[in-house]
């Protein structure tokens, strides 16, 4: 809780204007939920003000605001993926007569769905929402308890977050956590159990799983949202000590600014703006920084730097002449998987030995919440949405490692 409050306060500190009641005019709100339970673990409804007594508005769940492009993964793109589309599906970014413009006023023509998400192309989202129908897209939000969007279920403006009332950071946290959980939604709540004086259960929120999205669609959406923070509109929100995925959101004239994202463990949604909306500038980077600062701090507490590396006291492992190194103080396994000529030039025995080492590393690193998978480039650690190796292979790796560990 303190970490989230501090991130909001620090990043909005430059906005010192106050209302006639002495309350900061520029405000922020944020919600963080535990992905494994859906329980709210931190919630901030305003900037800290010790001189204000009795000010009780909690914007995190009481203020409904326009979410901008942050809504697209929930009601446009993941439903579209469930129809059989993929991150590589070709879409067209072009001007629409009587429709929305792109925020950057540029139009790229044919592009992949991933690029449309990465660069937050309004035209693509608008066309897809028309294709799947607003009623279908909004049904996913209704299933996840978005209380005030039902009045807009027939309108295409919902593709861009244009709602009559809006959404809260608490609702958005529940929606994004569903993507992190392979499509399983849990209502974001601070309440687990309420019993009365007779010890009879009045409220029980411990068992509230509901399937909203397909597993494959959720994982593909995560893959695209990962690109947003790696090389798209959300690079300033990327977290160095973890794998995160997320989406930026800005309304017309930047009257509401958002970032919604998640790691394997936590989902955090952030909003900034004025209680009476007015045009802003330069706030996007501050909202992204709130997410980054908070997630960096929390994940560092969860995984202290000394424990991020594998439990072995190792820096290098050899697999058929290839050096696999765990970089101290970072969760990245840098791993030349084969000589430049390619793995196909290795003997079957050599390939087996290399695979064995990968599986052993996987087994140990999994204890720290990361999954290992070969891929292009040198960053091979991904969160839980990557498929596990075969259990039999892991058991074999466990036995062989115990008998003959390859360490240095």
């Amino acid at each position: 809780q303190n970490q989230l409050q501090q991130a909001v306060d620090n990043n909005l500190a430059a906005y010192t204007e106050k209302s006639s009641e002495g309350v900061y005019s520029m405000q922020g709100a944020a919600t963080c939920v535990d992905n494994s339970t859906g329980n709210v673990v931190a919630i901030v409804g305003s900037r800290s003000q010790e001189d204000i007594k009795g000010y009780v508005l909690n914007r995190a769940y009481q203020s409904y605001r326009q979410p901008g492009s942050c809504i697209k993964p929930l009601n446009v793109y993941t439903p579209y993926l469930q129809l059989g589309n993929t991150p590589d599906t070709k879409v067209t970014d072009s001007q629409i007569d009587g429709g929305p413009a792109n925020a950057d006023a540029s139009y790229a023509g044919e592009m992949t769905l991933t690029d449309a998400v990465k660069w937050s192309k309004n035209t693509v989202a608008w066309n897809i929402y028309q294709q799947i129908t607003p009623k279908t897209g909004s049904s996913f939000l209704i299933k996840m308890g978005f209380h005030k969007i039902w009045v807009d279920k027939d309108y295409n403006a919902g593709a861009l977050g244009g709602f009559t009332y809006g959404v809260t950071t608490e609702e958005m946290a529940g929606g994004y956590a569903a993507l992190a959980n392979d499509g399983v939604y849990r209502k974001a709540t601070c309440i687990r159990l309420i019993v009365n004086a007779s010890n009879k259960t009045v409220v029980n929120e411990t068992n509230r799983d509901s399937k909203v999205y397909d597993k494959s669609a959720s994982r593909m959406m995560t893959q695209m949202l990962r690109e947003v923070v790696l090389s798209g509109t959300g690079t300033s929100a990327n977290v160095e000590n973890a794998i995160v995925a997320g989406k930026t959101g800005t309304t017309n004239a930047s009257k509401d600014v958002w970032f919604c994202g998640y790691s394997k463990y936590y989902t955090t949604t952030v909003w900034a703006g004025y209680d009476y909306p007015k045009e802003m500038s330069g706030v996007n980077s501050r909202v992204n920084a709130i997410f980054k600062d908070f997630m960096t701090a929390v994940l560092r507490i969860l995984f202290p730097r000394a424990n991020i590396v594998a439990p072995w006291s190792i820096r290098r492992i050899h697999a058929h002449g290839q050096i696999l190194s765990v970089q101290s103080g970072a969760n990245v396994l840098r791993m030349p998987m084969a000589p430049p000529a390619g793995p196909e030039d290795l003997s079957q025995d050599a390939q087996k030995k290399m695979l064995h080492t990968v599986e052993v590393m996987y087994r140990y690193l999994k204890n720290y919440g990361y999954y290992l998978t070969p891929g292009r480039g040198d960053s091979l650690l991904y969160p839980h949405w990557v498929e596990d190796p075969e259990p039999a292979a892991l058991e074999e790796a466990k036995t062989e490692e115990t008998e003959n560990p390859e360490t240095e």
Side-chain angles (χ1 to χ4, degrees):
Q1 178 66 34
N2 290 338
Q3 295 287 353
L4 187 56
Q5 185 70 66
Q6 183 178 351
V8 170
D9 291 342
N10 290 349
N11 284 288
L12 298 181
Y15 300 92
T16 57
E17 178 190 354
K18 294 183 180 180
S19 68
S20 58
E21 291 81 20
V23 178
Y24 283 126
S25 299
M26 162 67 80
Q27 281 295 338
T31 301
C32 176
V33 302
D34 183 333
N35 292 340
S36 66
T37 63
N39 294 334
V40 174
V41 294
I43 189 165
V44 168
S46 66
R47 296 167 62 185
S48 298
Q49 286 191 259
E50 294 181 2
D51 56 330
I52 299 295
K53 305 298 181 183
Y55 190 68
V56 296
L57 178 62
N58 189 322
R59 296 168 183 81
Y61 72 93
Q62 291 179 310
S63 293
Y64 288 79
R65 305 300 295 239
Q66 307 301 313
S69 294
C70 277
I71 204 68
K72 294 173 184 176
L74 303 181
N75 66 342
V76 179
Y77 290 122
T78 309
Y80 188 59
L81 291 170
Q82 292 197 173
L83 296 176
N85 297 287
T86 74
D88 293 325
T89 293
K90 296 294 185 180
V91 293
T92 301
D93 172 33
S94 60
Q95 288 181 291
I96 303 172
D97 290 338
N102 288 330
D104 59 3
S106 68
Y107 302 89
E110 187 177 78
M111 64 196 317
T112 65
L113 194 62
T114 294
D115 284 340
V117 174
K118 184 168 72 171
W119 300 115
S120 200
K121 295 295 187 177
N122 290 334
T123 60
V124 174
W126 183 271
N127 286 332
I128 289 176
Y129 206 55
Q130 281 187 322
Q131 180 181 336
I132 67 174
T133 75
K135 186 167 290 187
T136 296
S138 62
S139 70
F140 289 87
L141 301 180
I142 293 171
K143 288 177 185 176
M144 294 187 291
F146 282 73
H147 298 298
K148 295 192 176 184
I149 64 91
W150 63 271
V151 297
D152 304 293
K153 65 182 182 299
D154 296 317
Y155 301 108
N156 222 66
L160 311 181
F163 298 121
T164 302
Y165 299 107
V167 301
T168 67
T169 63
E170 187 181 56
E171 289 175 340
M172 293 295 282
Y176 270 73
L179 297 177
N181 288 321
D182 287 340
V184 176
Y185 167 73
R186 302 181 184 97
K187 176 187 174 185
T189 180
C190 299
I191 299 172
R192 299 181 186 179
L193 192 70
I194 298 176
V195 296
N196 61 19
S198 303
N199 206 34
K200 182 179 178 180
T201 299
V202 178
V203 176
N204 186 346
E205 296 285 5
T206 58
N207 216 355
R208 58 186 190 278
D209 294 11
S210 62
K211 190 71 172 175
V212 175
Y213 301 114
D214 293 344
K215 177 179 178 180
S216 60
S218 300
R219 293 188 175 192
M220 286 189 287
M221 191 68 246
T222 293
Q223 177 185 335
M224 293 193 291
L225 293 176
R226 176 70 179 139
E227 291 298 317
V228 172
V229 298
L230 287 177
S231 57
T233 59
T235 54
S236 61
N238 196 18
V239 178
E240 295 178 3
N241 66 328
I243 305 297
V244 297
K247 185 72 184 72
T248 53
T250 308
T251 60
N252 290 342
S254 297
K255 293 179 181 178
D256 295 277
V257 178
W258 293 73
F259 188 86
C260 300
Y262 50 94
S263 68
K264 174 184 176 180
Y265 301 96
Y266 296 115
T267 294
T268 301
T269 55
V270 184
W271 165 86
Y274 291 83
D275 288 337
Y276 296 96
K278 72 176 187 177
E279 185 172 348
M280 303 183 294
S281 63
V283 182
N284 302 68
S285 61
R286 296 296 85 217
V287 168
N288 291 358
I290 292 171
F291 175 87
K292 178 177 182 175
D293 291 352
F294 171 68
M295 293 292 274
T296 298
V298 167
L299 292 167
R300 186 176 291 139
I301 293 170
L302 189 62
F303 300 107
R305 281 189 175 274
N307 292 333
I308 287 176
V309 298
W312 296 332
S313 296
I314 62 169
R315 289 297 176 270
R316 291 188 299 167
I317 299 175
H318 293 281
H320 193 65
Q322 302 304 298
I323 296 177
L324 295 71
S325 63
V326 178
Q327 188 175 333
S328 179
N331 345 7
V332 177
L333 181 66
R334 305 213 176 266
M335 197 169 174
M337 289 296 295
E344 64 275 3
D345 293 340
L346 295 175
S347 67
Q348 286 189 351
D349 183 59
Q351 290 184 46
K352 182 178 179 181
K353 287 182 179 179
M354 185 178 293
L355 181 61
H356 153 70
T357 305
V358 172
E359 288 166 343
V360 171
M361 288 297 295
Y362 168 90
R363 167 179 160 72
Y364 280 95
L365 289 165
K366 182 179 178 182
N367 292 334
Y368 287 83
Y370 293 91
Y371 283 46
L372 179 63
T373 180
R376 57 184 172 81
D378 59 2
S379 297
L380 301 177
L381 284 181
Y382 294 84
H384 70 303
W385 46 76
V386 176
E387 297 287 354
D388 297 355
E390 291 294 327
L394 285 178
E395 284 303 312
E396 180 183 354
K398 174 183 176 182
T399 303
E400 292 182 13
E401 188 277 329
T402 302
E403 295 174 352
N404 186 28
E406 298 182 72
T407 62
E408 175 180 293

